[in-house]
Amino acid sequence: REVLVDRLVGANAAIVVYPLASEGAGFLPRTQLDRLAELPGVTAVERVAFGQGTLSAHSSGSSSGAPAELVTVRGGEPGETILGEGTPRLPPRAAQHGPSEPPPVLLGDELAKALDVGVGDLVRWTALGFGGGRPHFSYQSLRVAGTFHVGFSEFDRSWAVTDREVVVARLGASGTDAD
């Protein structure tokens, strides 16, 4: 029970603070983050990004013919423990990818099974973003770097975790493709 609670709290903060304006990719300025960190009882303040969309095996020749899966993509800081102790860490930025290599992504183990993908395989994220008051779709190829198991179906079946900058770029994109 303690492990599950740690992982749920690690993925979902007790308090989430959103800026009122969408300036700065939706992030609070560093000065406000520092002020939040000084409040009594606050143990950590981190910037994260969440995106919605679908994830599919990059190749249409997936042996299972699995359709796209609805996902929540969490963007975190490379090197952080993604869902609490005992779960993988995002690779450091320097080791993540070259200019032409897709960024790494960690998938819930049930999501990876549903997509019939494993470490090293490519997946395609179709992200739903908003810009100029209108919704748009953008695309991002990601390379599976590992899987995680939390024991909570919402995470294991429908969550993917990648670099925060990747999530922000897809959500703020103007509907263009990116690989």
Side-chain angles (χ1 to χ4, degrees):
R1 179 175 180 212
E2 288 179 30
V3 170
L4 181 58
V5 169
D6 286 345
R7 289 180 182 176
L8 292 175
V9 171
N12 293 303
I15 298 174
V16 178
V17 179
Y18 292 98
L20 293 177
S22 61
E23 298 173 15
F27 292 125
L28 295 173
R30 173 55 52 195
T31 54
Q32 287 182 327
L33 292 174
D34 292 342
R35 287 179 43 208
L36 288 171
E38 294 172 0
L39 293 173
V42 172
T43 59
V45 175
E46 296 180 18
R47 288 181 167 160
V48 295
F50 289 95
Q52 300 290 316
T54 61
L55 205 62
S56 58
H58 199 275
S59 162
S60 58
S62 174
S63 63
S64 69
E69 297 286 331
L70 293 173
V71 294
T72 296
V73 179
R74 181 185 188 273
E77 185 65 29
E80 78 173 339
T81 302
I82 60 163
L83 295 169
E85 290 305 315
T87 60
R89 294 180 184 272
L90 284 170
R93 269 196 188 100
Q96 283 188 344
H97 54 87
S100 62
E101 178 67 20
V105 64
L106 300 169
L107 304 178
D109 60 352
E110 292 299 319
L111 176 59
K113 286 178 193 172
L115 294 172
D116 193 23
V117 296
V119 173
D121 289 341
L122 290 174
V123 293
R124 183 89 159 171
W125 177 32
T126 303
L128 173 59
F130 294 90
R134 300 179 64 180
H136 66 268
F137 291 98
S138 62
Y139 308 90
Q140 178 71 52
S141 293
L142 303 164
R143 186 164 309 278
V144 178
T147 63
F148 57 85
H149 177 78
V150 176
F152 188 63
S153 65
E154 178 183 345
F155 298 110
D156 296 339
R157 175 77 181 168
S158 62
W159 271 46
V161 182
T162 192
D163 188 318
R164 181 183 66 242
E165 291 178 10
V166 172
V167 176
V168 170
R170 289 298 91 221
L171 298 181
S174 60
T176 60
D177 287 355
D179 284 322

